[in-house]
PDB file of all heavy atoms in Angstrom:
ATOM      1  N   TYR A   1     -15.042  14.090  -8.245  1.00 88.00           N
ATOM      2  CA  TYR A   1     -14.551  12.792  -8.052  1.00 88.00           C
ATOM      3  C   TYR A   1     -13.707  12.373  -9.146  1.00 88.00           C
ATOM      4  O   TYR A   1     -14.106  12.495 -10.363  1.00 88.00           O
ATOM      5  CB  TYR A   1     -15.712  11.778  -7.870  1.00 88.00           C
ATOM      6  CG  TYR A   1     -15.233  10.364  -7.708  1.00 88.00           C
ATOM      7  CD1 TYR A   1     -14.741   9.802  -6.555  1.00 88.00           C
ATOM      8  CD2 TYR A   1     -15.519   9.493  -8.761  1.00 88.00           C
ATOM      9  CE1 TYR A   1     -14.367   8.485  -6.440  1.00 88.00           C
ATOM     10  CE2 TYR A   1     -15.089   8.164  -8.769  1.00 88.00           C
ATOM     11  CZ  TYR A   1     -14.523   7.643  -7.549  1.00 88.00           C
ATOM     12  OH  TYR A   1     -14.155   6.367  -7.469  1.00 88.00           O
ATOM     13  N   TYR A   2     -12.500  11.892  -8.995  1.00 89.00           N
ATOM     14  CA  TYR A   2     -11.586  11.388 -10.009  1.00 89.00           C
ATOM     15  C   TYR A   2     -11.351   9.942  -9.874  1.00 89.00           C
ATOM     16  O   TYR A   2     -11.184   9.469  -8.772  1.00 89.00           O
ATOM     17  CB  TYR A   2     -10.257  12.138  -9.935  1.00 89.00           C
ATOM     18  CG  TYR A   2     -10.456  13.632 -10.144  1.00 89.00           C
ATOM     19  CD1 TYR A   2     -10.557  14.507  -9.005  1.00 89.00           C
ATOM     20  CD2 TYR A   2     -10.329  14.177 -11.388  1.00 89.00           C
ATOM     21  CE1 TYR A   2     -10.666  15.851  -9.268  1.00 89.00           C
ATOM     22  CE2 TYR A   2     -10.475  15.534 -11.659  1.00 89.00           C
ATOM     23  CZ  TYR A   2     -10.611  16.402 -10.513  1.00 89.00           C
ATOM     24  OH  TYR A   2     -10.723  17.748 -10.733  1.00 89.00           O
ATOM     25  N   ARG A   3     -11.243   9.285 -10.967  1.00 91.00           N
ATOM     26  CA  ARG A   3     -11.059   7.812 -10.946  1.00 91.00           C
ATOM     27  C   ARG A   3     -10.143   7.404 -12.087  1.00 91.00           C
ATOM     28  O   ARG A   3     -10.243   7.987 -13.153  1.00 91.00           O
ATOM     29  CB  ARG A   3     -12.365   7.063 -11.060  1.00 91.00           C
ATOM     30  CG  ARG A   3     -12.244   5.559 -10.957  1.00 91.00           C
ATOM     31  CD  ARG A   3     -13.570   4.958 -11.028  1.00 91.00           C
ATOM     32  NE  ARG A   3     -13.452   3.546 -11.036  1.00 91.00           N
ATOM     33  CZ  ARG A   3     -14.437   2.669 -10.911  1.00 91.00           C
ATOM     34  NH1 ARG A   3     -15.648   3.151 -10.834  1.00 91.00           N
ATOM     35  NH2 ARG A   3     -14.234   1.429 -10.916  1.00 91.00           N
ATOM     36  N   ASN A   4      -9.184   6.466 -11.810  1.00 93.00           N
ATOM     37  CA  ASN A   4      -8.253   6.008 -12.863  1.00 93.00           C
ATOM     38  C   ASN A   4      -7.498   7.234 -13.508  1.00 93.00           C
ATOM     39  O   ASN A   4      -7.386   7.305 -14.684  1.00 93.00           O
ATOM     40  CB  ASN A   4      -8.942   5.227 -13.892  1.00 93.00           C
ATOM     41  CG  ASN A   4      -9.578   3.962 -13.363  1.00 93.00           C
ATOM     42  OD1 ASN A   4      -8.964   3.356 -12.478  1.00 93.00           O
ATOM     43  ND2 ASN A   4     -10.721   3.580 -13.871  1.00 93.00           N
ATOM     44  N   VAL A   5      -6.962   8.027 -12.671  1.00 90.00           N
ATOM     45  CA  VAL A   5      -6.239   9.181 -13.130  1.00 90.00           C
ATOM     46  C   VAL A   5      -4.872   8.847 -13.597  1.00 90.00           C
ATOM     47  O   VAL A   5      -4.191   8.042 -13.010  1.00 90.00           O
ATOM     48  CB  VAL A   5      -6.161  10.261 -11.955  1.00 90.00           C
ATOM     49  CG1 VAL A   5      -5.387  11.441 -12.360  1.00 90.00           C
ATOM     50  CG2 VAL A   5      -7.534  10.643 -11.496  1.00 90.00           C
ATOM     51  N   SER A   6      -4.391   9.415 -14.712  1.00 90.00           N
ATOM     52  CA  SER A   6      -3.056   9.169 -15.168  1.00 90.00           C
ATOM     53  C   SER A   6      -2.006   9.850 -14.269  1.00 90.00           C
ATOM     54  O   SER A   6      -2.284  10.828 -13.614  1.00 90.00           O
ATOM     55  CB  SER A   6      -2.926   9.654 -16.631  1.00 90.00           C
ATOM     56  OG  SER A   6      -2.746  11.027 -16.665  1.00 90.00           O
ATOM     57  N   GLN A   7      -0.781   9.342 -14.364  1.00 85.00           N
ATOM     58  CA  GLN A   7       0.346   9.895 -13.622  1.00 85.00           C
ATOM     59  C   GLN A   7       0.557  11.416 -13.991  1.00 85.00           C
ATOM     60  O   GLN A   7       0.960  12.177 -13.157  1.00 85.00           O
ATOM     61  CB  GLN A   7       1.661   9.137 -13.882  1.00 85.00           C
ATOM     62  CG  GLN A   7       1.669   7.785 -13.284  1.00 85.00           C
ATOM     63  CD  GLN A   7       1.781   7.826 -11.751  1.00 85.00           C
ATOM     64  OE1 GLN A   7       1.900   8.836 -11.123  1.00 85.00           O
ATOM     65  NE2 GLN A   7       1.751   6.705 -11.164  1.00 85.00           N
ATOM     66  N   ASN A   8       0.291  11.764 -15.272  1.00 88.00           N
ATOM     67  CA  ASN A   8       0.438  13.149 -15.694  1.00 88.00           C
ATOM     68  C   ASN A   8      -0.591  14.088 -15.101  1.00 88.00           C
ATOM     69  O   ASN A   8      -0.366  15.244 -14.944  1.00 88.00           O
ATOM     70  CB  ASN A   8       0.395  13.209 -17.230  1.00 88.00           C
ATOM     71  CG  ASN A   8       1.616  12.543 -17.866  1.00 88.00           C
ATOM     72  OD1 ASN A   8       2.648  12.412 -17.254  1.00 88.00           O
ATOM     73  ND2 ASN A   8       1.433  12.069 -19.085  1.00 88.00           N
ATOM     74  N   GLU A   9      -1.778  13.552 -14.797  1.00 91.00           N
ATOM     75  CA  GLU A   9      -2.861  14.380 -14.283  1.00 91.00           C
ATOM     76  C   GLU A   9      -2.756  14.595 -12.764  1.00 91.00           C
ATOM     77  O   GLU A   9      -3.272  15.585 -12.215  1.00 91.00           O
ATOM     78  CB  GLU A   9      -4.233  13.724 -14.535  1.00 91.00           C
ATOM     79  CG  GLU A   9      -4.571  13.621 -16.017  1.00 91.00           C
ATOM     80  CD  GLU A   9      -5.845  12.866 -16.246  1.00 91.00           C
ATOM     81  OE1 GLU A   9      -5.753  11.563 -15.981  1.00 91.00           O
ATOM     82  OE2 GLU A   9      -6.819  13.410 -16.587  1.00 91.00           O
ATOM     83  N   LEU A  10      -2.038  13.651 -12.060  1.00 87.00           N
ATOM     84  CA  LEU A  10      -2.074  13.705 -10.511  1.00 87.00           C
ATOM     85  C   LEU A  10      -1.512  15.041  -9.953  1.00 87.00           C
ATOM     86  O   LEU A  10      -2.149  15.586  -9.114  1.00 87.00           O
ATOM     87  CB  LEU A  10      -1.180  12.527 -10.053  1.00 87.00           C
ATOM     88  CG  LEU A  10      -1.984  11.228  -9.877  1.00 87.00           C
ATOM     89  CD1 LEU A  10      -1.032  10.117  -9.410  1.00 87.00           C
ATOM     90  CD2 LEU A  10      -3.095  11.347  -8.917  1.00 87.00           C
ATOM     91  N   PRO A  11      -0.286  15.562 -10.464  1.00 87.00           N
ATOM     92  CA  PRO A  11       0.183  16.761  -9.822  1.00 87.00           C
ATOM     93  C   PRO A  11      -0.799  17.955  -9.934  1.00 87.00           C
ATOM     94  O   PRO A  11      -0.954  18.743  -9.019  1.00 87.00           O
ATOM     95  CB  PRO A  11       1.499  17.116 -10.618  1.00 87.00           C
ATOM     96  CG  PRO A  11       1.866  15.716 -11.155  1.00 87.00           C
ATOM     97  CD  PRO A  11       0.623  14.993 -11.441  1.00 87.00           C
ATOM     98  N   SER A  12      -1.501  18.020 -11.072  1.00 91.00           N
ATOM     99  CA  SER A  12      -2.437  19.047 -11.285  1.00 91.00           C
ATOM    100  C   SER A  12      -3.564  18.964 -10.265  1.00 91.00           C
ATOM    101  O   SER A  12      -4.017  20.023  -9.716  1.00 91.00           O
ATOM    102  CB  SER A  12      -2.951  19.011 -12.669  1.00 91.00           C
ATOM    103  OG  SER A  12      -4.059  19.964 -12.893  1.00 91.00           O
ATOM    104  N   ILE A  13      -4.054  17.785 -10.015  1.00 92.00           N
ATOM    105  CA  ILE A  13      -5.185  17.582  -9.012  1.00 92.00           C
ATOM    106  C   ILE A  13      -4.681  17.937  -7.662  1.00 92.00           C
ATOM    107  O   ILE A  13      -5.386  18.630  -6.930  1.00 92.00           O
ATOM    108  CB  ILE A  13      -5.709  16.201  -9.105  1.00 92.00           C
ATOM    109  CG1 ILE A  13      -6.376  16.002 -10.459  1.00 92.00           C
ATOM    110  CG2 ILE A  13      -6.694  15.929  -7.984  1.00 92.00           C
ATOM    111  CD1 ILE A  13      -6.726  14.463 -10.799  1.00 92.00           C
ATOM    112  N   TYR A  14      -3.502  17.452  -7.288  1.00 90.00           N
ATOM    113  CA  TYR A  14      -3.006  17.716  -5.906  1.00 90.00           C
ATOM    114  C   TYR A  14      -2.754  19.118  -5.740  1.00 90.00           C
ATOM    115  O   TYR A  14      -3.072  19.767  -4.690  1.00 90.00           O
ATOM    116  CB  TYR A  14      -1.627  16.989  -5.658  1.00 90.00           C
ATOM    117  CG  TYR A  14      -1.773  15.520  -5.410  1.00 90.00           C
ATOM    118  CD1 TYR A  14      -0.924  14.627  -6.153  1.00 90.00           C
ATOM    119  CD2 TYR A  14      -2.624  14.973  -4.476  1.00 90.00           C
ATOM    120  CE1 TYR A  14      -1.036  13.295  -5.911  1.00 90.00           C
ATOM    121  CE2 TYR A  14      -2.719  13.614  -4.218  1.00 90.00           C
ATOM    122  CZ  TYR A  14      -1.893  12.747  -4.931  1.00 90.00           C
ATOM    123  OH  TYR A  14      -1.911  11.433  -4.714  1.00 90.00           O
ATOM    124  N   ASN A  15      -2.257  19.885  -6.731  1.00 89.00           N
ATOM    125  CA  ASN A  15      -1.965  21.284  -6.682  1.00 89.00           C
ATOM    126  C   ASN A  15      -3.243  22.193  -6.570  1.00 89.00           C
ATOM    127  O   ASN A  15      -3.091  23.337  -6.166  1.00 89.00           O
ATOM    128  CB  ASN A  15      -1.098  21.735  -7.902  1.00 89.00           C
ATOM    129  CG  ASN A  15       0.353  21.333  -7.739  1.00 89.00           C
ATOM    130  OD1 ASN A  15       0.879  21.167  -6.638  1.00 89.00           O
ATOM    131  ND2 ASN A  15       0.956  20.964  -8.863  1.00 89.00           N
ATOM    132  N   GLN A  16      -4.377  21.628  -6.804  1.00 91.00           N
ATOM    133  CA  GLN A  16      -5.644  22.371  -6.642  1.00 91.00           C
ATOM    134  C   GLN A  16      -6.131  22.239  -5.192  1.00 91.00           C
ATOM    135  O   GLN A  16      -7.098  22.959  -4.794  1.00 91.00           O
ATOM    136  CB  GLN A  16      -6.740  21.833  -7.545  1.00 91.00           C
ATOM    137  CG  GLN A  16      -6.412  22.090  -9.032  1.00 91.00           C
ATOM    138  CD  GLN A  16      -7.469  21.433  -9.911  1.00 91.00           C
ATOM    139  OE1 GLN A  16      -8.687  21.497  -9.657  1.00 91.00           O
ATOM    140  NE2 GLN A  16      -7.061  20.737 -10.996  1.00 91.00           N
ATOM    141  N   CYS A  17      -5.489  21.451  -4.386  1.00 92.00           N
ATOM    142  CA  CYS A  17      -5.908  21.204  -3.077  1.00 92.00           C
ATOM    143  C   CYS A  17      -5.020  21.829  -2.013  1.00 92.00           C
ATOM    144  O   CYS A  17      -3.819  21.977  -2.251  1.00 92.00           O
ATOM    145  CB  CYS A  17      -5.958  19.610  -2.765  1.00 92.00           C
ATOM    146  SG  CYS A  17      -6.986  18.791  -3.957  1.00 92.00           S
ATOM    147  N   SER A  18      -5.505  22.130  -0.819  1.00 94.00           N
ATOM    148  CA  SER A  18      -4.688  22.603   0.242  1.00 94.00           C
ATOM    149  C   SER A  18      -4.543  21.560   1.319  1.00 94.00           C
ATOM    150  O   SER A  18      -3.589  21.653   2.141  1.00 94.00           O
ATOM    151  CB  SER A  18      -5.169  23.925   0.836  1.00 94.00           C
ATOM    152  OG  SER A  18      -6.452  23.810   1.315  1.00 94.00           O
ATOM    153  N   ILE A  19      -5.498  20.682   1.432  1.00 96.00           N
ATOM    154  CA  ILE A  19      -5.494  19.556   2.423  1.00 96.00           C
ATOM    155  C   ILE A  19      -5.663  18.261   1.726  1.00 96.00           C
ATOM    156  O   ILE A  19      -6.590  18.188   0.875  1.00 96.00           O
ATOM    157  CB  ILE A  19      -6.560  19.789   3.534  1.00 96.00           C
ATOM    158  CG1 ILE A  19      -6.370  21.122   4.250  1.00 96.00           C
ATOM    159  CG2 ILE A  19      -6.623  18.594   4.463  1.00 96.00           C
ATOM    160  CD1 ILE A  19      -7.497  21.485   5.222  1.00 96.00           C
ATOM    161  N   TYR A  20      -4.852  17.279   2.095  1.00 94.00           N
ATOM    162  CA  TYR A  20      -5.149  15.906   1.578  1.00 94.00           C
ATOM    163  C   TYR A  20      -5.608  15.054   2.792  1.00 94.00           C
ATOM    164  O   TYR A  20      -5.020  15.046   3.827  1.00 94.00           O
ATOM    165  CB  TYR A  20      -3.866  15.313   0.965  1.00 94.00           C
ATOM    166  CG  TYR A  20      -4.142  13.922   0.443  1.00 94.00           C
ATOM    167  CD1 TYR A  20      -4.687  13.822  -0.819  1.00 94.00           C
ATOM    168  CD2 TYR A  20      -3.803  12.764   1.089  1.00 94.00           C
ATOM    169  CE1 TYR A  20      -4.990  12.599  -1.375  1.00 94.00           C
ATOM    170  CE2 TYR A  20      -4.037  11.552   0.531  1.00 94.00           C
ATOM    171  CZ  TYR A  20      -4.593  11.449  -0.703  1.00 94.00           C
ATOM    172  OH  TYR A  20      -4.883  10.143  -1.246  1.00 94.00           O
ATOM    173  N   PHE A  21      -6.779  14.376   2.611  1.00 95.00           N
ATOM    174  CA  PHE A  21      -7.405  13.663   3.636  1.00 95.00           C
ATOM    175  C   PHE A  21      -7.380  12.169   3.326  1.00 95.00           C
ATOM    176  O   PHE A  21      -7.797  11.716   2.272  1.00 95.00           O
ATOM    177  CB  PHE A  21      -8.897  14.173   3.763  1.00 95.00           C
ATOM    178  CG  PHE A  21      -9.631  13.469   4.878  1.00 95.00           C
ATOM    179  CD1 PHE A  21      -9.629  13.887   6.111  1.00 95.00           C
ATOM    180  CD2 PHE A  21     -10.486  12.367   4.458  1.00 95.00           C
ATOM    181  CE1 PHE A  21     -10.371  13.311   7.120  1.00 95.00           C
ATOM    182  CE2 PHE A  21     -11.278  11.834   5.453  1.00 95.00           C
ATOM    183  CZ  PHE A  21     -11.283  12.285   6.780  1.00 95.00           C
ATOM    184  N   CYS A  22      -6.764  11.354   4.267  1.00 94.00           N
ATOM    185  CA  CYS A  22      -6.645   9.927   4.055  1.00 94.00           C
ATOM    186  C   CYS A  22      -7.276   9.191   5.274  1.00 94.00           C
ATOM    187  O   CYS A  22      -6.680   9.350   6.389  1.00 94.00           O
ATOM    188  CB  CYS A  22      -5.241   9.561   3.852  1.00 94.00           C
ATOM    189  SG  CYS A  22      -5.032   7.766   3.575  1.00 94.00           S
ATOM    190  N   GLY A  23      -8.361   8.532   5.119  1.00 93.00           N
ATOM    191  CA  GLY A  23      -9.006   7.843   6.215  1.00 93.00           C
ATOM    192  C   GLY A  23      -8.855   6.347   6.201  1.00 93.00           C
ATOM    193  O   GLY A  23      -9.782   5.614   6.626  1.00 93.00           O
ATOM    194  N   SER A  24      -7.772   5.784   5.777  1.00 92.00           N
ATOM    195  CA  SER A  24      -7.531   4.349   5.643  1.00 92.00           C
ATOM    196  C   SER A  24      -7.335   3.722   6.999  1.00 92.00           C
ATOM    197  O   SER A  24      -6.774   4.272   7.913  1.00 92.00           O
ATOM    198  CB  SER A  24      -6.244   4.094   4.780  1.00 92.00           C
ATOM    199  OG  SER A  24      -6.471   4.544   3.470  1.00 92.00           O
ATOM    200  N   TYR A  25      -7.795   2.451   7.005  1.00 91.00           N
ATOM    201  CA  TYR A  25      -7.487   1.663   8.197  1.00 91.00           C
ATOM    202  C   TYR A  25      -6.100   1.019   8.070  1.00 91.00           C
ATOM    203  O   TYR A  25      -5.482   0.713   9.086  1.00 91.00           O
ATOM    204  CB  TYR A  25      -8.531   0.498   8.397  1.00 91.00           C
ATOM    205  CG  TYR A  25      -9.844   1.055   8.877  1.00 91.00           C
ATOM    206  CD1 TYR A  25     -10.870   1.264   7.917  1.00 91.00           C
ATOM    207  CD2 TYR A  25     -10.068   1.380  10.183  1.00 91.00           C
ATOM    208  CE1 TYR A  25     -12.094   1.751   8.329  1.00 91.00           C
ATOM    209  CE2 TYR A  25     -11.279   1.868  10.654  1.00 91.00           C
ATOM    210  CZ  TYR A  25     -12.355   2.063   9.665  1.00 91.00           C
ATOM    211  OH  TYR A  25     -13.486   2.561  10.128  1.00 91.00           O
ATOM    212  N   TYR A  26      -5.617   0.834   6.880  1.00 88.00           N
ATOM    213  CA  TYR A  26      -4.286   0.318   6.635  1.00 88.00           C
ATOM    214  C   TYR A  26      -3.752   0.840   5.366  1.00 88.00           C
ATOM    215  O   TYR A  26      -4.482   0.976   4.336  1.00 88.00           O
ATOM    216  CB  TYR A  26      -4.433  -1.278   6.516  1.00 88.00           C
ATOM    217  CG  TYR A  26      -3.092  -1.859   6.091  1.00 88.00           C
ATOM    218  CD1 TYR A  26      -2.149  -2.099   7.088  1.00 88.00           C
ATOM    219  CD2 TYR A  26      -2.780  -2.185   4.856  1.00 88.00           C
ATOM    220  CE1 TYR A  26      -0.900  -2.656   6.778  1.00 88.00           C
ATOM    221  CE2 TYR A  26      -1.577  -2.739   4.492  1.00 88.00           C
ATOM    222  CZ  TYR A  26      -0.595  -2.952   5.481  1.00 88.00           C
ATOM    223  OH  TYR A  26       0.581  -3.513   5.067  1.00 88.00           O
ATOM    224  N   GLU A  27      -2.489   1.207   5.377  1.00 83.00           N
ATOM    225  CA  GLU A  27      -1.734   1.663   4.165  1.00 83.00           C
ATOM    226  C   GLU A  27      -0.437   1.028   4.147  1.00 83.00           C
ATOM    227  O   GLU A  27       0.218   0.884   5.220  1.00 83.00           O
ATOM    228  CB  GLU A  27      -1.531   3.181   4.213  1.00 83.00           C
ATOM    229  CG  GLU A  27      -2.740   4.028   3.882  1.00 83.00           C
ATOM    230  CD  GLU A  27      -3.052   4.093   2.447  1.00 83.00           C
ATOM    231  OE1 GLU A  27      -2.220   3.964   1.611  1.00 83.00           O
ATOM    232  OE2 GLU A  27      -4.268   4.333   2.167  1.00 83.00           O
ATOM    233  N   GLY A  28       0.024   0.538   3.009  1.00 81.00           N
ATOM    234  CA  GLY A  28       1.334  -0.055   2.915  1.00 81.00           C
ATOM    235  C   GLY A  28       2.346   1.045   3.071  1.00 81.00           C
ATOM    236  O   GLY A  28       2.805   1.351   4.145  1.00 81.00           O
ATOM    237  N   PHE A  29       2.695   1.731   1.988  1.00 79.00           N
ATOM    238  CA  PHE A  29       3.581   2.902   2.086  1.00 79.00           C
ATOM    239  C   PHE A  29       2.844   4.234   2.246  1.00 79.00           C
ATOM    240  O   PHE A  29       3.296   5.089   2.717  1.00 79.00           O
ATOM    241  CB  PHE A  29       4.565   2.913   0.968  1.00 79.00           C
ATOM    242  CG  PHE A  29       5.447   4.090   0.934  1.00 79.00           C
ATOM    243  CD1 PHE A  29       6.384   4.173   1.955  1.00 79.00           C
ATOM    244  CD2 PHE A  29       5.371   5.082   0.041  1.00 79.00           C
ATOM    245  CE1 PHE A  29       7.296   5.287   1.991  1.00 79.00           C
ATOM    246  CE2 PHE A  29       6.225   6.165   0.053  1.00 79.00           C
ATOM    247  CZ  PHE A  29       7.187   6.300   1.061  1.00 79.00           C
ATOM    248  N   GLY A  30       1.695   4.262   1.674  1.00 81.00           N
ATOM    249  CA  GLY A  30       0.861   5.554   1.688  1.00 81.00           C
ATOM    250  C   GLY A  30       1.380   6.532   0.723  1.00 81.00           C
ATOM    251  O   GLY A  30       1.565   7.726   1.025  1.00 81.00           O
ATOM    252  N   LEU A  31       1.564   6.028  -0.530  1.00 85.00           N
ATOM    253  CA  LEU A  31       2.113   6.968  -1.564  1.00 85.00           C
ATOM    254  C   LEU A  31       1.311   8.192  -1.819  1.00 85.00           C
ATOM    255  O   LEU A  31       1.894   9.207  -2.031  1.00 85.00           O
ATOM    256  CB  LEU A  31       2.389   6.047  -2.785  1.00 85.00           C
ATOM    257  CG  LEU A  31       3.043   6.802  -4.002  1.00 85.00           C
ATOM    258  CD1 LEU A  31       4.440   7.314  -3.620  1.00 85.00           C
ATOM    259  CD2 LEU A  31       3.085   5.877  -5.221  1.00 85.00           C
ATOM    260  N   THR A  32       0.009   8.091  -1.844  1.00 88.00           N
ATOM    261  CA  THR A  32      -0.764   9.242  -2.208  1.00 88.00           C
ATOM    262  C   THR A  32      -0.586  10.322  -1.135  1.00 88.00           C
ATOM    263  O   THR A  32      -0.535  11.470  -1.499  1.00 88.00           O
ATOM    264  CB  THR A  32      -2.260   8.836  -2.280  1.00 88.00           C
ATOM    265  OG1 THR A  32      -2.701   8.265  -1.080  1.00 88.00           O
ATOM    266  CG2 THR A  32      -2.495   7.924  -3.442  1.00 88.00           C
ATOM    267  N   GLY A  33      -0.412  10.022   0.106  1.00 90.00           N
ATOM    268  CA  GLY A  33      -0.122  11.028   1.104  1.00 90.00           C
ATOM    269  C   GLY A  33       1.234  11.704   0.842  1.00 90.00           C
ATOM    270  O   GLY A  33       1.326  12.921   0.847  1.00 90.00           O
ATOM    271  N   LEU A  34       2.209  10.973   0.460  1.00 87.00           N
ATOM    272  CA  LEU A  34       3.548  11.523   0.173  1.00 87.00           C
ATOM    273  C   LEU A  34       3.464  12.418  -1.037  1.00 87.00           C
ATOM    274  O   LEU A  34       3.986  13.490  -1.106  1.00 87.00           O
ATOM    275  CB  LEU A  34       4.535  10.370  -0.063  1.00 87.00           C
ATOM    276  CG  LEU A  34       5.941  10.738  -0.319  1.00 87.00           C
ATOM    277  CD1 LEU A  34       6.532  11.609   0.782  1.00 87.00           C
ATOM    278  CD2 LEU A  34       6.816   9.478  -0.639  1.00 87.00           C
ATOM    279  N   GLU A  35       2.715  11.922  -2.072  1.00 87.00           N
ATOM    280  CA  GLU A  35       2.554  12.738  -3.284  1.00 87.00           C
ATOM    281  C   GLU A  35       1.845  14.032  -3.005  1.00 87.00           C
ATOM    282  O   GLU A  35       2.259  15.078  -3.517  1.00 87.00           O
ATOM    283  CB  GLU A  35       1.773  11.954  -4.324  1.00 87.00           C
ATOM    284  CG  GLU A  35       2.452  10.813  -4.955  1.00 87.00           C
ATOM    285  CD  GLU A  35       1.558   9.878  -5.799  1.00 87.00           C
ATOM    286  OE1 GLU A  35       0.334   9.957  -5.646  1.00 87.00           O
ATOM    287  OE2 GLU A  35       2.116   9.171  -6.506  1.00 87.00           O
ATOM    288  N   SER A  36       0.897  14.009  -2.152  1.00 91.00           N
ATOM    289  CA  SER A  36       0.195  15.216  -1.804  1.00 91.00           C
ATOM    290  C   SER A  36       1.069  16.223  -1.069  1.00 91.00           C
ATOM    291  O   SER A  36       0.959  17.455  -1.354  1.00 91.00           O
ATOM    292  CB  SER A  36      -1.066  14.981  -0.982  1.00 91.00           C
ATOM    293  OG  SER A  36      -0.716  14.624   0.413  1.00 91.00           O
ATOM    294  N   LEU A  37       1.951  15.673  -0.220  1.00 90.00           N
ATOM    295  CA  LEU A  37       2.901  16.630   0.479  1.00 90.00           C
ATOM    296  C   LEU A  37       3.891  17.237  -0.462  1.00 90.00           C
ATOM    297  O   LEU A  37       4.223  18.416  -0.324  1.00 90.00           O
ATOM    298  CB  LEU A  37       3.696  15.865   1.566  1.00 90.00           C
ATOM    299  CG  LEU A  37       2.845  15.278   2.757  1.00 90.00           C
ATOM    300  CD1 LEU A  37       3.774  14.516   3.713  1.00 90.00           C
ATOM    301  CD2 LEU A  37       2.058  16.291   3.374  1.00 90.00           C
ATOM    302  N   ILE A  38       4.353  16.490  -1.452  1.00 87.00           N
ATOM    303  CA  ILE A  38       5.246  17.021  -2.456  1.00 87.00           C
ATOM    304  C   ILE A  38       4.608  18.177  -3.215  1.00 87.00           C
ATOM    305  O   ILE A  38       5.283  19.118  -3.589  1.00 87.00           O
ATOM    306  CB  ILE A  38       5.668  15.914  -3.458  1.00 87.00           C
ATOM    307  CG1 ILE A  38       6.602  14.916  -2.720  1.00 87.00           C
ATOM    308  CG2 ILE A  38       6.391  16.511  -4.631  1.00 87.00           C
ATOM    309  CD1 ILE A  38       6.892  13.617  -3.490  1.00 87.00           C
ATOM    310  N   CYS A  39       3.272  18.154  -3.404  1.00 89.00           N
ATOM    311  CA  CYS A  39       2.529  19.185  -4.108  1.00 89.00           C
ATOM    312  C   CYS A  39       2.066  20.294  -3.170  1.00 89.00           C
ATOM    313  O   CYS A  39       1.305  21.213  -3.597  1.00 89.00           O
ATOM    314  CB  CYS A  39       1.399  18.554  -4.833  1.00 89.00           C
ATOM    315  SG  CYS A  39       1.829  17.414  -6.238  1.00 89.00           S
ATOM    316  N   GLY A  40       2.488  20.238  -1.917  1.00 90.00           N
ATOM    317  CA  GLY A  40       2.181  21.394  -1.042  1.00 90.00           C
ATOM    318  C   GLY A  40       0.939  21.234  -0.186  1.00 90.00           C
ATOM    319  O   GLY A  40       0.510  22.236   0.485  1.00 90.00           O
ATOM    320  N   CYS A  41       0.339  20.059  -0.186  1.00 94.00           N
ATOM    321  CA  CYS A  41      -0.837  19.905   0.727  1.00 94.00           C
ATOM    322  C   CYS A  41      -0.519  19.691   2.131  1.00 94.00           C
ATOM    323  O   CYS A  41       0.550  19.226   2.480  1.00 94.00           O
ATOM    324  CB  CYS A  41      -1.629  18.645   0.233  1.00 94.00           C
ATOM    325  SG  CYS A  41      -2.347  18.812  -1.439  1.00 94.00           S
TER     326      CYS A  41
END
């Protein structure tokens, strides 16, 4: 579990994953999903 992650740490975390899971009922732009796709998830 990660909390309050810095912008510099995010790509490393995403790059360790193969699937990004988002179960929100509402998202504005959904930036975390987009970031995960950029990192290959």
Side-chain angles (χ1 to χ4, degrees):
Y1 175 76
Y2 298 91
R3 185 176 175 173
N4 298 323
V5 177
S6 74
Q7 290 289 358
N8 293 334
E9 294 173 291
L10 277 176
S12 173
I13 294 169
Y14 286 130
N15 284 326
Q16 293 176 42
C17 303
S18 62
I19 300 172
Y20 184 78
F21 181 83
C22 179
S24 295
Y25 287 101
Y26 175 82
E27 285 282 335
F29 178 67
L31 183 60
T32 57
L34 182 61
E35 291 171 341
S36 74
L37 296 182
I38 291 168
C39 291
C41 296

